[in-house]
Amino acid sequence: MTVQTPVPFAPGPRNLITDIAGLRVGQAQDDAVRTGVTVIAPEGRAIAAVDVRGGGPGTRETDALSADCLVDEIDAIVLSGGSVYGLEAASGVTAWLGARGRGFALGSTPLVAPIVPSAILFDLSNGGAKEWGETPPYRRLGIEAMEALDTDVRLGNAGAGLGARAGALKGGTGSASVVTPGGFVVGALAASNPFGSCVMPGSARFWAAPFEKAGEMGDQDSLPGPAHLPDDPYAETKIGASPGMNTTIGVVATDAALTVSETRRLAMMAQDGYARAIRPVHTPFDGDVVFALATGSRPLPEDTARAGLVAMLGALAADTLARAVARGVYEAETLGASPSYRERYKR
């Protein structure tokens, strides 16, 4: 059997975050409610960090990822629709993991404490059946997502991106990956639901078009961009948005053996991927969150070259996250009043 050498700076074999060995993604959705949940889980545990920059975030257990806290590793990351109700998805994931003995050991007790940070986006106004009373579907969807863990990842109207909207277009779940010259893999997954637009005004061209690989956004090189950018920063954005009604949430990951502080730097640098894919970004209306994971299967050198490699991984994480954001919009399908990118631009 011939082993193929990865091409530097090309996507991994799947062009998904699961090109990182040991990472799997599970998704579940309720089509009637128009909402869903996406879980990213390592086979064991992974170093994690988070960076929050939007003005209306909804998160759970992000404080536990601080470098001065007890626990460095997580058992799963949950991205969910449902606004504040969606935070309950992490309860389902926590219960699923705990029942299987996966989590932080609690002394002499047989119980464990699964570490499951999560973030939510707003999809409550997309027309779905939201009359759930005292039983929102998110705990159930979290469990279903864990049962569906796989290396294949459905894009577009799937998981946390099912009910998402991106500016004036349908949003969705996107993922991408890249391989470095040294063989490190960087991957990203995003549920794109921003207030801002992912498309240049007066054009079908994504803001993230310069970072496209292997035609993943429909061959953006074939599309002209605008002759100049408008002064209006709200061109192509949502109409009548209110604080907390938006948010892009995502995860970047690498197989590099990063420290906690290096993983935090990865998350911080990756936030620039949102700025490369969305305009405007980090608004008062968004709760933009980026989680970073380091599975640690590939060591870094313990010399002066290490910081440079971390910087390269962070730069690639930003580019890859930008691709994932745009790819989620490109792969989305029309839902309710939100037209898809491909329908609107006949692509």
Side-chain angles (χ1 to χ4, degrees):
M1 179 179 177
T2 302
V3 178
Q4 293 184 344
T5 302
V7 178
F9 299 118
R14 301 183 187 89
N15 197 17
L16 300 170
I17 196 172
T18 51
D19 284 324
I20 296 168
L23 279 189
R24 294 183 296 164
V25 172
Q27 300 194 100
Q29 54 269 337
D30 189 317
D31 291 327
V33 181
R34 294 184 180 175
T35 195
V37 171
T38 299
V39 177
I40 301 91
E43 286 183 353
R45 309 186 79 211
I47 296 289
V50 67
D51 190 78
V52 181
R53 297 195 190 178
T59 60
R60 168 173 160 162
E61 289 198 58
T62 50
D63 283 352
L65 300 182
S66 175
D68 60 359
C69 288
L70 174 65
V71 179
D72 294 336
E73 298 174 316
I74 57 88
D75 298 284
I77 298 289
V78 177
L79 309 179
S80 179
S83 189
V84 66
Y85 300 98
L87 292 173
E88 187 66 11
S91 296
V93 173
T94 299
W96 191 97
L97 290 164
R100 290 157 179 78
R102 293 175 55 182
F104 183 74
L106 297 172
S108 60
T109 173
L111 295 175
V112 294
I115 308 302
V116 185
S118 65
I120 49 87
L121 58 79
F122 184 96
D123 60 5
L124 299 183
S125 60
N126 62 14
K130 304 298 196 298
E131 302 81 11
W132 51 55
E134 296 180 359
T135 55
Y138 296 100
R139 187 180 189 280
R140 167 179 61 82
L141 290 173
I143 293 172
E144 290 178 3
M146 290 301 293
E147 296 286 352
L149 286 173
D150 200 346
T151 54
D152 289 330
V153 183
R154 181 183 167 196
L155 304 182
N157 292 15
L162 174 65
R165 186 177 177 185
L169 298 173
K170 177 68 180 69
T173 298
S175 189
S177 69
V178 67
V179 181
T180 77
F184 292 98
V185 182
V186 175
L189 183 147
S192 303
N193 186 60
F195 170 77
S197 175
C198 295
V199 178
M200 296 180 182
S203 169
R205 190 168 170 83
F206 283 112
W207 288 109
F211 309 102
E212 183 183 29
K213 294 183 181 293
E216 63 197 355
M217 306 170 201
D219 188 16
Q220 293 286 300
D221 284 345
S222 66
L223 299 173
H228 60 85
L229 298 182
D231 293 329
D232 180 7
Y234 299 109
E236 300 289 333
T237 60
K238 297 180 183 178
I239 304 300
S242 298
M245 292 181 64
N246 312 112
T247 297
T248 299
I249 48 180
V251 177
V252 296
T254 180
D255 54 3
L258 302 182
T259 65
V260 174
S261 61
E262 289 168 341
T263 307
R264 164 74 170 148
R265 180 58 54 186
L266 191 76
M268 293 171 66
M269 293 182 70
Q271 278 275 10
D272 288 343
Y274 287 163
R276 294 169 191 172
I278 303 162
R279 182 179 186 266
V281 72
H282 304 148
T283 73
F285 310 109
D286 293 285
D288 299 332
V289 176
V290 175
F291 293 101
L293 297 178
T295 63
S297 63
R298 186 178 290 270
L300 268 70
E302 297 295 340
D303 57 25
T304 55
R306 183 181 182 102
L309 283 172
V310 172
M312 180 180 68
L313 293 173
L316 290 174
D319 292 349
T320 308
L321 185 58
R323 292 164 51 209
V325 169
R327 199 176 182 201
V329 178
Y330 176 76
E331 296 287 350
E333 300 173 1
T334 296
L335 183 67
S338 299
S340 72
Y341 169 87
R342 286 175 289 175
E343 176 182 302
R344 178 169 177 177
Y345 297 107
K346 310 301 180 188
R347 303 262 317 149

